[in-house]
Amino acid sequence: MRHTLARLRHRDARPRRRDDGMTTAEYAVGTVAVAGLGGLLLKLLTSDWFWSILQRIFTWAFQAFLG
């Protein structure tokens, strides 16, 4: 029992590793992901295919609610 407690104390006394660079890497990955998503959204919103689907949805909705 004493040896187990001594090992636990020794393990807790070790200096912890620092991870200062982790936040920078996480911001970089997040920035790349958001830029990619923005590019995809821009491509989608400027396509004729998207606008025709959107027009069909609105036409269907207005006909369903207004008759």
Side-chain angles (χ1 to χ4, degrees):
M1 178 89 176
R2 279 188 184 180
H3 295 292
T4 305
L5 290 175
R7 272 188 273 157
L8 288 174
R9 283 189 201 129
H10 178 67
R11 188 182 314 161
D12 290 339
R14 288 185 290 173
R16 303 214 188 270
R17 289 176 42 184
R18 297 182 57 129
D19 59 351
D20 291 339
M22 286 296 283
T23 55
T24 304
E26 289 167 357
Y27 281 128
V29 170
T31 301
V32 169
V34 167
L37 186 61
L40 183 66
L41 189 60
L42 180 65
K43 185 71 174 172
L44 180 69
L45 291 176
T46 57
S47 70
D48 293 333
W49 172 81
F50 176 76
W51 286 108
S52 79
I53 288 178
L54 197 61
Q55 183 179 13
R56 284 188 221 158
I57 290 171
F58 278 115
T59 302
W60 173 82
F62 284 132
Q63 286 177 354
F65 290 116
L66 300 177

